[in-house]
Amino acid sequence: MANSDTSKRLNELRMKHGRPPASPSEPKAEKTETLREAQPRFRGLESGHRACQGCGEALAARLVMESAGPDVMVANATGCLEVFTTPWPQSAWRVPWIHSLFENSAAVASGMEAAMKAKGKNTKILSFGGDGATYDIGFQSLSGMLERHHNVLYVTYDNEAYMNTGIQRSSSTPHAATTTTSPVGKERMGKRHLKKDLLSIIAAHHIPYAAAASVAYPQDLQRKVRYAMGVEGPTFLVIHSPCPLGWRHDSALTIEVARRAVQCGLFPLVELERGALTNIMPIREPRPVADYLELQGRFSHLFNKDDYRAQEELDHLQALADHNIDIYGLRGDGVDPVDTTGMSHVKRGGPLMGGR
Amino acid sequence: MTQITRGTWAEAGTSLDFKTGNWRSTQRPAHIHAKAPCHVACPAGEDQQAWFAELQQGYPEAAWRSLVAANPLPGVTGRVCPHPCETACNRVQLDGALAIHNVERWLGDEAVTHGWDYPVTPPDEDAPVVAIVGAGPGGLSAAYHCVRLGLRAEIFEARPEAGGLLRSAIPPTRLPRAALDGELARLLDLPGITLNLRQRLGRDITVEGLRARFAAVLLSPGCEMPKPWSVKGAVPADLHEGLALLRDFMDHGALPDAAKGDVIVHGGGNTAMDICRIMKRAGARSVTLITASGLPGPGTAPDDVINVVPRELEEAQEEGIAIIDHATVSRLIMKGSRVTGVEIVALKKEKGKDGRKRRVEFEGTERVISVDMVVPCVGEQVAPEAFEGLLSGAYFWPDNPQGRIGERVFAIGDARGSRGTVAAAIGDGRIAAEAVAAELAGEADPVTDARPEMGFDGLNTAYYAGSARVPVAKLPVPERTFEAEIEGGISRAEALAEAQRCLSCGNCLACDNCWTMCPDNAVIKTVEMATDGSHYVFDYDYCKGCGLCSEECPTGYIQSVPETS
């Protein structure tokens, strides 16, 4: 036939765009689902992103997207997450996603939320930032967003320094950790100052829900995301996300490091509603902070037997952990299936406490 | 409206075009099914991890089927086996080994109660027939595995009943006859198995005759003849050897008169333990076991510990059996040809000049005990009649794992010389049957499974909930008789709960840890495409090789392997 080439080309186009064939004799578009597409979870953050090996932040963001998606939009501050997920012309995101500046992701999210409200849509707005964008640079826009009571879930991926620009200290960097701007030396044993207690500041905004989570406890993390998604109004989640590069630990140990941070009390997993402490993850048997610190190169100077200051700083960090355990009442009484030990347990076919 | 230029946006999910898999430099994750230590330790070749996995999912019948793929007599071994699997269990280092033998016994009993079918298909009418000499655990296992492999089996047993030493040497307090008969009857009912009773080798049949008539000959005669025993040449006139005494007692229910007095049992195996307990129960004034080995304890080297089922030792001590360890009988004190006393001396196995252990008696530690009877229980050897040219000393001692000792002739069980448990005989039966099937099919001997063992260090124990081993009731000492079983059974609920304690060492638990914790979304969950028995595949297009999944895999099923392999 004279026009067979044309008809073939037209059919190819129909197939390409998923349109029905022009006639029953024409071949149908065969849409076979790939294994990846068939995964029984929402893939909000796809593979191919450029995060380092063993990145805790990439894991945390993936877990958040799984529980929050698919009807969400994301405003993302400058930082690792923004950089490694969106090397133009590619994007690892499968939801609407906007990046503007370092300091304004909460402000952008506020605008997006207002726009959705104006359009009469229920799409939830997420605002993402690292600890630099949250504790330091974007802090005032975050405070404003919370104060204006926007219906936004703000998630901060806390890897405790400016990792994207080369490991500079932030106000979230823990005491005594070495970074390029708080180096260890004759004068100082790493960072002189303390980690900012951001959660208390957030809670002081009297928002409906603020919580701390850790990548070491994915089921707990995802439960907190789901809970926050159901809250009307501003909610806040800080997720402890180890950075193998900046914390100088093996990329395979990301979860182990995060788990020990929780188990020693340095990163308490707490939930606050309207400023009041409503839930904690009890620690079954608190570990010494040294167990957590010894895995990380950023604290290696604390194990220098020849430096008298090392033991002093170790004791200081232990005192900070003990203080957390004390003020939040983290010491559990006996075996609790949702404490730091029980939350990890798995059985054949999945987590023991999944979907609590 | 503002036009968005191309440089300001990207299509959703297009990062998939960028394959981060080429970032891996040295290592990649791989599914490696290492052997669980219980499986490695099991002389019968059971994969306890595999059948516990079925039980964890709530399928007792499937668990039993998986179990009997190796061991057709779980009701028996669950009662009599010294369970090296439990000694090897990685859970020992957490909160106690799994009660493997109790669950095994429960499964065996359930199968008899519910009549679960053995997973075999009837062999063809013209299938090759294998002759098996001896219907003990080794011979029965060999027959079962022959049928499982499509062969027919004809068993020749000298005694009037099948069972071998299960019937003649293991007291009903350990193995009730109902449990033995129930399991044996079901096994012997399988199509393709013929049992010829009262057929003694040398009298009714010969090895050569069998070899001429059958496709192969499997010899599992057991060890029937006591090892010669004397003390510096002296032997009492009324000597009763332990195993013979045990057999007589089980056949006739009577012991010699001297057994009412003070008795010394010399030896250190399960038969010695059984005869001690039976004589004590039958009214002996005192029973003392003299053994060259040591009692289990922190100061005893593992190869020096007395070789008995641990719970049997415990029960014997409860019943008042005295044990003198690290000692031997150095002299018999006779009045005429009757024993009135023994001199015992302390002894230990010490390393000699050549590095081999030898027994050293310590001079000056001699003491005399007055006794009415001495029962040697120092082991048995193969009765040599009808095995001319096949024995190598007291046993067959085959030089290959299949037990091949001649053309189409194999040795199984205790008679091999290096064995000593029912489970080992059952394992031998399977291995020999597999070798016969391969030989008849013109194939080489089946290769032994060389997979590595998953040790405790390979597990991530953060993911296992603590739970204590199921407590099992035992008959109190005053209520123990010659018949009633001493160790109690467990319930279905207890068996299923115990199964949940299995750590699944070296095999996938389908716990989702790798799928949940991969920062790169490079673990794909799928049952259909994961052909290795797990529920996951790695997407090496995106896996950056961080090693997190292998670190957080509870069972050690995911391991980091060199990128090149």
Side-chain angles (χ1 to χ4, degrees), chain B residues 62 73 84 106 182 203 233 236 239 307 327 383 385-386 409 411 417 430 445 455 458 468 510 530:
Chain B
L73 301 170
W106 177 77
R203 185 186 68 195
L239 180 70
N307 183 24
E385 301 89 39
V409 182
R430 175 179 53 83
D445 282 334

Side-chain angles (χ1 to χ4, degrees), chain A residues 36 39 41 47-51 53-55 62 88-93 251-252 255 259 344-346 348-350, chain B residues 6 9 12-15 18 23 56 463-465 504 509-510 515-516 518-521 524-525 539 544 546 548 552:
Chain A
R36 185 168 282 277
Q39 291 301 288
R41 64 183 182 193
S47 299
H49 61 69
R50 271 67 147 180
Q53 296 173 323
C55 175
R62 209 207 74 216
W88 189 83
Q90 294 165 351
S91 169
W93 300 94
S251 62
I255 299 287
R259 182 161 42 227
S344 285
H345 292 155
V346 297
R348 183 167 293 280
Chain B
R6 181 68 191 103
W9 64 283
T14 41
S15 65
F18 188 83
W23 291 16
Q56 285 183 337
Y463 293 103
Y464 295 114
S504 190
L509 255 181
W515 188 61
T516 306
C518 175
D520 300 304
N521 224 354
I524 302 280
K525 184 169 180 166
D539 191 340
K544 295 169 184 165
C546 66
L548 215 157
E552 299 307 322

